[in-house]
């Protein structure tokens, strides 16, 4: 009745050693001549110290979970004749509330804010070679992306059927995006910066049905609209797109046999510098238990390709 407290620490030390190498090869001898302008190596070391507190309590049909996370991080980049240090600190709150409409039906609301650290390869302070007309460079001054999400869901569970419907709204600021500039007349240089902002709003649904002990059906689908504001050569670029996905899994289990059919479909969408195309796949799996410690498994992946 008095609720429950939770306390914890999250201490992490991570180090990534990365190397980029470009060389000209003599066609007669095969000897390599490294290009010092685009060959480099560096080390990205991150120290993260975080503490969190949660408070859970019930009030009638309501169940509440409040939380807060404080984190401080230090990032060190080092290479030959190069050293760079940066850091950040943040206090991120979270809230989850659940209301029991009936014993089988619940309404839930959640809010959370979090940080997403940049990938080590995006921090490269040097230039790397892509092709004769393209170069790439990271940004050692990148900051974490700030992610905020709100979700509202309706769940219903019975003995053999579980259903869920949800709505979500997500925003990211200081989004890490690709930037472009032309150097030396005709070479495109792609870099990184915290110059973007992204928003998405959508709906999701899921179904988990086991009509008997032999068959099972699981499905989930969603549709969402994405808005991106990103910098580019001629100024800010605004993009909007509607995307959707569906996943389906049909299972069969009887005696020594266990089989499943998994299907996935994803429509095209947008990313900070363009679009990606749709994807679909269909996978089949069959497993037969031959002995208590021996089984035979057959997989057929992407059978539509």
């Amino acid at each position: 009745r008095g609720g429950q407290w939770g306390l914890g620490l999250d201490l992490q030390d991570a180090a990534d050693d990365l190397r980029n190498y470009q060389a000209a090869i003599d066609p007669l001898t095969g000897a390599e001549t490294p290009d010092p302008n685009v060959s480099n190596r560096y080390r990205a070391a991150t120290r993260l110290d975080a503490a969190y507190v949660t408070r859970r309590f019930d009030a009638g049909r309501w169940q509440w979970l409040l939380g807060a996370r404080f984190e401080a991080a230090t990032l060190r980049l080092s290479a030959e004749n190069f050293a760079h240090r940066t850091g950040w600190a943040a206090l991120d709150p979270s809230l989850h509330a659940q209301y029991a409409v009936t014993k089988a039906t619940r309404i839930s609301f959640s809010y959370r804010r979090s940080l997403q650290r940049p990938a080590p390869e995006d921090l490269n302070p040097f230039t790397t070679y892509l092709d004769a007309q393209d170069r790439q460079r990271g940004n050692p001054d990148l900051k974490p992306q700030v992610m905020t999400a709100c979700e509202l869901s309706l769940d219903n569970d019975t003995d053999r059927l579980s259903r869920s419907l949800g709505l979500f709204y997500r925003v990211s600021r200081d989004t890490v995006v690709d930037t472009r500039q032309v150097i030396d007349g005709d070479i495109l240089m792609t870099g990184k910066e915290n110059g973007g902002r992204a928003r998405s709003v959508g709906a999701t649904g899921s179904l988990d049905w086991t009509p008997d002990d032999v068959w099972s059906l699981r499905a989930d689908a969603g549709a969402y609209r994405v808005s991106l504001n990103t910098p580019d050569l001629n100024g800010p670029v605004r993009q909007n797109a509607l995307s959707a996905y569906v996943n389906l899994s049909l299972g069969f289990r009887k005696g020594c046999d266990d089989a499943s059919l998994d299907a996935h479909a994803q429509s095209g969408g947008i990313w900070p510098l363009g679009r990606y195309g749709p994807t679909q796949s269909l996978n089949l799996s069959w497993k037969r238990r031959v002995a208590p410690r021996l089984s035979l498994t057959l997989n057929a992946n992407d059978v539509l390709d």
Side-chain angles (χ1 to χ4, degrees), residues 14 48 75 101 126 183 230 263 279:
L48 174 68
L75 171 65
V101 181
F126 305 104
I183 62 173
T230 57
T279 60

Side-chain angles (χ1 to χ4, degrees), residues 200-272:
S200 63
V201 59
T204 61
S206 66
L207 174 71
D208 192 338
W209 183 38
T210 53
D212 51 41
D213 295 334
V214 176
W215 294 97
S216 65
L217 174 65
R218 295 179 177 85
D220 66 272
Y224 51 94
R225 185 172 183 83
V226 179
S227 300
L228 293 174
N229 293 332
T230 57
D232 204 354
L233 288 172
N234 298 318
V237 175
R238 293 178 175 84
Q239 301 179 77
N240 294 276
L242 183 65
S243 299
Y245 70 90
V246 60
N247 298 304
L248 178 68
S249 178
L250 178 64
F252 173 85
R253 177 177 295 180
K254 187 174 183 180
C256 298
D257 295 305
D258 191 345
S260 66
L261 181 148
D262 299 298
H264 163 79
Q266 167 76 56
S267 68
I270 58 175
W271 66 295

Side-chain angles (χ1 to χ4, degrees), residues 171-224:
V171 177
S172 72
R173 56 183 175 86
D174 291 331
T175 307
V176 177
V177 297
D178 291 331
T179 60
R180 300 182 293 183
Q181 60 178 321
V182 177
I183 62 173
D184 297 333
D186 60 351
I187 296 178
L188 182 65
M189 175 69 76
T190 303
K192 300 284 184 179
E193 72 172 48
N194 294 99
R197 181 179 175 88
R199 296 192 307 273
S200 63
V201 59
T204 61
S206 66
L207 174 71
D208 192 338
W209 183 38
T210 53
D212 51 41
D213 295 334
V214 176
W215 294 97
S216 65
L217 174 65
R218 295 179 177 85
D220 66 272
Y224 51 94

Side-chain angles (χ1 to χ4, degrees), residues 46-88:
T46 304
R47 169 69 182 182
L48 174 68
D49 299 310
Y52 63 87
V53 57
T54 60
R55 166 69 168 167
R56 177 179 176 177
F57 60 92
D58 299 331
R61 294 189 176 187
W62 286 95
Q63 185 180 90
W64 298 85
L65 179 63
L66 309 177
R69 172 186 169 96
F70 175 79
E71 68 176 62
T74 301
L75 171 65
R76 293 182 176 87
L77 296 174
S78 58
E80 185 177 358
N81 301 322
F82 177 85
H84 181 77
R85 175 175 173 171
T86 187
W88 62 85

Side-chain angles (χ1 to χ4, degrees), residues 158-179:
T158 60
D159 290 340
R160 293 191 175 272
L161 179 63
S162 296
R163 294 165 291 184
S164 176
L165 292 174
L167 300 173
F168 67 84
Y169 176 73
R170 299 167 185 160
V171 177
S172 72
R173 56 183 175 86
D174 291 331
T175 307
V176 177
V177 297
D178 291 331
T179 60

Side-chain angles (χ1 to χ4, degrees), residues 65-69 91-97 109-115 145-153 167-172 200:
L65 179 63
L66 309 177
R69 172 186 169 96
L91 178 62
D92 296 322
S94 64
L95 165 66
H96 180 80
F109 172 79
S110 64
Y111 165 87
R112 65 182 182 275
R113 190 176 66 193
S114 60
L115 297 183
Q145 299 178 139
V146 182
M147 315 290 291
T148 303
C150 296
E151 298 180 10
L152 179 67
S153 65
L167 300 173
F168 67 84
Y169 176 73
R170 299 167 185 160
V171 177
S172 72
S200 63

